[in-house]
Amino acid sequence: MSEVSNKKYRDSGIDERIIRAVEELGFEYMTPIQEQAIPLFLSGMDVIGQAQTGTGKTAAFGIPILEKIDPEVKALQAVILCPTRELAMQASEELRKFSKYMHGIKVLPIYGGQEIFKQIKSLKGGVQIVVGTPGRVMDHMRRHTLKMDQVHTVVLDEADEMLNMGFREDIETILKEVPKERQTGLFSATMPRPILEITKKYQKEDAVFLKMTPKEVTIPLIKQAYYQVRQKDKEEVLCRLMDYYDPARALIFCNTKRMVDELTEHLKARGYAVEGLHGDLSQNQRDTVMNLFKNGHAAVLIATDVAARGIDIENVEAVFNYDVPEDIEYYVHRIGRTGRAGKTGRSFTLATGREVYKLRDIERICHTKIRERQIPSVSRITEKKSEKILMEAENVIVNQDISKALHFIEERAALGEYSAIQYAAAFMKMKLGDELQEIKAERFRPDFIPRHQRAQRNNKNETFKPYDRRESERNNRYASLRIRTKKQDKKKGK
């Protein structure tokens, strides 16, 4: 969960059984979205919440839903729609944790990629809350295995992503089938026109709009940095940052599926334990990748923004923005994957040329500071890698039998050509790899003013706009055109 408010769960009037479960999970204070949304949901109001993943919004609608469920009624009472399988599984798991001490309440995630007859069997067992993807919910409605006549609450989670994935028609069909006398909640990171059209059509007129600004969403424990690099150096800079900071678990974000594939292939070739995740992967491939990352067999996950929606991985130490995100909301969403549960995290952004302007916009809108840093020098990286190799060697000395290896080295050193230390140094060199070269940093100064303009500025009490190369070139063309025109006029005797 994200930032906390000053209100405790214990002081909110929530069911004591839910409070007990929440406190066992280690949470004492509500997040801003929870403090505002829970009382509204409990009062029966429709809610529109603009909030990102990581703000605690699942609890904001999940806790009131649990309070309103009648465990004696073995029929569907609440439906939560999510864009992806992962988000549906995550939300249902959270609801189960919150309802740990509420006996008789069943929560079921339903999604594509899982055997539908297994889901039908579970539904027959009397499920009160369904958390599902729109497509699979529609399948069950067509089969009449999902009956909506007793549903009193519907929530659309990550509504903008569901629309981006083409689920609008399914969502509207589902909402039409649910009793009109219902409570509807909608949560979305952004509020484009199609979302507003849905709220107007399917929510009550007195629906309350809650907006969690990026200032509230951004986690203050994240150290944010950016590096100005040339496009051709991005991959090398990324590798050096990973070597230097050596995060045990990290996420790398790219803007395109193609870049995810290319970068995954290149980093694997360099010996990094990485896996790629994007929308073109099959469900089995996606599950395999996520299991490798969760189990620690892959230390780094490279993903697109859409593919990473709904993924909630603990202990992510660093987030790398290989590409500067196109949308400011995505930046907040990306870096929010680290620095959770009171831990510190790091985010690194590789900016090329005029992308520095985007970072300035992010700073201004999100009320945050992204500090420019220098690429670690070759000597610092080599020292760091050497230290890591030596620590690994010491771990082998302490925990493994090295007597045979020691015997081989002593025998070889006894020949007198090379010492044992020289052999150790050679092994170190082999582990370190090729000699690194210093990388020349890309220097793009958005506020740069040419010398002749600075001189004019000093002589005249005027304020000049930041240097714009295209405008300067345009002015030069106009000046050249005026000179040519004057010369032509002279020749004509004008």
Side-chain angles (χ1 to χ4, degrees):
M1 292 185 186
S2 187
E3 271 189 23
V4 294
S5 67
N6 295 319
K7 190 168 187 176
K8 292 184 177 182
Y9 290 97
R10 190 156 287 283
D11 301 330
S12 61
I14 294 171
D15 189 300
E16 183 63 36
R17 294 169 296 176
I18 297 176
I19 291 174
R20 182 182 171 192
V22 168
E23 288 182 347
E24 277 189 13
L25 293 170
F27 301 112
E28 183 180 1
Y29 292 92
M30 291 182 163
T31 66
I33 188 70
Q34 291 164 7
E35 184 180 5
Q36 294 184 53
I38 288 175
L40 292 169
F41 265 106
L42 289 174
S43 70
M45 299 285 288
D46 282 3
V47 174
I48 305 164
Q50 186 168 355
Q52 288 80 8
T53 299
T55 57
K57 59 184 169 61
T58 304
F61 58 75
I63 288 174
I65 285 175
L66 290 172
E67 292 238 13
K68 294 171 67 179
I69 296 297
D70 184 349
E72 299 300 319
V73 177
K74 304 301 181 183
L76 184 62
Q77 299 172 48
V79 175
I80 300 166
L81 297 178
C82 305
T84 65
R85 166 185 177 150
E86 287 79 16
L87 196 55
M89 292 171 69
Q90 178 193 325
S92 63
E93 185 58 33
E94 284 195 50
L95 289 177
R96 284 174 183 156
K97 288 176 182 176
F98 297 147
S99 62
K100 181 180 179 180
Y101 299 106
M102 302 178 79
H103 302 295
I105 295 180
K106 288 189 178 180
V107 183
L108 180 69
I110 60 174
Y111 43 79
Q114 185 187 49
E115 180 58 57
I116 194 165
F117 295 107
K118 183 180 177 183
Q119 293 173 0
I120 292 171
K121 186 179 178 181
S122 298
L123 286 168
K124 285 179 179 177
V127 172
Q128 290 103 343
I129 304 172
V130 157
V131 187
T133 52
R136 183 49 65 97
V137 170
M138 283 283 293
D139 281 349
H140 282 286
M141 288 170 63
R142 279 192 287 265
R143 292 167 182 263
H144 303 289
T145 50
L146 208 57
K147 295 179 174 61
M148 298 289 193
D149 54 303
Q150 295 192 57
V151 171
H152 54 64
T153 308
V154 177
V155 171
L156 310 182
D157 192 14
E158 306 274 8
D160 53 349
E161 285 306 314
M162 286 196 282
L163 262 59
N164 289 341
M165 295 166 76
F167 286 132
R168 178 167 182 171
E169 191 175 328
D170 288 355
I171 290 169
E172 296 207 41
T173 302
I174 294 166
L175 290 173
K176 286 173 186 173
E177 292 294 318
V178 180
K180 289 186 177 179
E181 291 304 311
R182 64 167 186 267
Q183 184 179 18
T184 310
L186 182 146
F187 288 85
S188 183
T190 58
M191 286 291 165
R193 184 179 294 174
I195 296 287
L196 298 175
E197 288 172 357
I198 287 175
T199 63
K200 188 175 181 181
K201 189 173 180 180
Y202 296 101
Q203 286 188 301
K204 301 184 186 82
E205 289 184 5
D206 60 350
V208 180
F209 182 80
L210 303 175
K211 183 175 181 180
M212 298 296 104
T213 64
K215 184 178 180 181
E216 291 171 293
V217 173
T218 303
I219 303 170
L221 292 173
I222 299 172
K223 295 179 180 176
Q224 301 171 67
Y226 77 91
Y227 298 81
Q228 291 195 58
V229 299
R230 293 177 294 187
Q231 185 67 35
K232 65 177 184 178
D233 294 328
K234 281 175 77 171
E235 186 179 310
E236 181 62 33
V237 171
L238 173 69
C239 292
R240 293 190 184 188
L241 290 174
M242 289 199 294
D243 289 341
Y244 185 75
Y245 290 100
D246 193 27
R249 181 173 280 177
L251 281 166
I252 300 172
F253 282 98
C254 301
N255 288 350
T256 64
K257 300 170 189 176
R258 180 180 176 183
M259 184 51 69
V260 168
D261 285 337
E262 286 183 9
L263 193 59
T264 302
E265 183 184 340
H266 293 173
L267 294 192
K268 279 186 175 179
R270 284 172 171 250
Y272 293 94
V274 303
E275 291 295 334
L277 187 73
H278 57 65
D280 285 351
L281 298 185
S282 69
Q283 195 59 58
N284 285 338
Q285 289 174 316
R286 190 181 177 90
D287 289 344
T288 301
V289 167
M290 287 310 302
N291 287 332
L292 288 170
F293 188 55
K294 285 180 179 178
N295 298 333
H297 297 299
V300 181
L301 182 67
I302 308 173
T304 57
D305 292 287
V306 173
R309 281 280 180 170
I311 294 174
D312 193 10
I313 306 292
E314 293 181 355
N315 302 321
V316 173
E317 294 181 8
V319 170
F320 296 88
N321 292 313
Y322 189 77
D323 298 318
V324 176
E326 295 296 329
D327 193 320
I328 289 173
E329 299 281 0
Y330 280 144
Y331 179 83
V332 176
H333 183 74
R334 287 178 181 186
I335 69 167
R337 299 314 182 90
T338 183
R340 291 188 171 188
K343 297 176 182 176
T344 56
R346 291 180 177 275
S347 77
F348 306 91
T349 301
L350 306 184
T352 302
R354 304 180 72 85
E355 287 180 338
V356 177
Y357 282 127
K358 288 185 183 178
L359 296 180
R360 295 287 177 265
D361 287 340
I362 291 169
E363 286 183 316
R364 176 173 50 82
I365 293 170
C366 299
H367 306 281
T368 188
K369 184 65 182 173
I370 310 170
R371 302 191 182 280
E372 182 181 5
R373 297 207 178 276
Q374 302 302 313
I375 301 163
S377 65
V378 168
S379 61
R380 288 171 68 190
I381 293 169
T382 305
E383 183 181 338
K384 201 85 172 181
K385 288 175 74 174
S386 300
E387 185 181 337
K388 184 183 178 183
I389 293 167
L390 289 172
M391 286 177 69
E392 289 173 355
E394 288 168 3
N395 185 50
V396 172
I397 292 169
V398 172
N399 297 306
Q400 297 183 35
D401 181 8
I402 62 167
S403 55
K404 284 186 179 179
L406 195 61
H407 175 68
F408 290 140
I409 295 293
E410 286 174 343
E411 268 195 344
R412 199 73 175 180
L415 297 176
E417 190 170 355
Y418 304 108
S419 68
I421 292 178
Q422 284 177 305
Y423 282 112
F427 286 126
M428 169 72 85
K429 171 67 178 170
M430 289 161 62
K431 287 284 283 182
L432 284 172
D434 296 335
E435 289 281 346
L436 299 175
Q437 302 296 319
E438 296 290 357
I439 295 175
K440 184 180 178 183
E442 174 84 346
R443 302 305 304 160
F444 181 80
R445 292 167 56 191
D447 297 323
F448 173 70
I449 300 172
R451 186 184 299 172
H452 73 278
Q453 287 192 5
R454 288 201 303 273
Q456 291 173 358
R457 184 174 177 177
N458 292 334
N459 294 333
K460 299 178 183 178
N461 189 21
E462 294 180 6
T463 303
F464 283 84
K465 293 185 294 184
Y467 175 62
D468 186 322
R469 180 175 56 80
R470 285 176 298 181
E471 185 177 341
S472 176
E473 289 173 353
R474 189 165 58 246
N475 291 339
N476 289 339
R477 286 198 300 271
Y478 290 153
S480 300
L481 182 62
R482 284 196 299 272
I483 291 168
R484 285 200 304 272
T485 304
K486 283 183 179 179
K487 286 181 178 178
Q488 288 168 359
D489 288 346
K490 271 189 177 181
K491 285 181 180 178
K492 291 176 181 178
K494 290 185 180 179

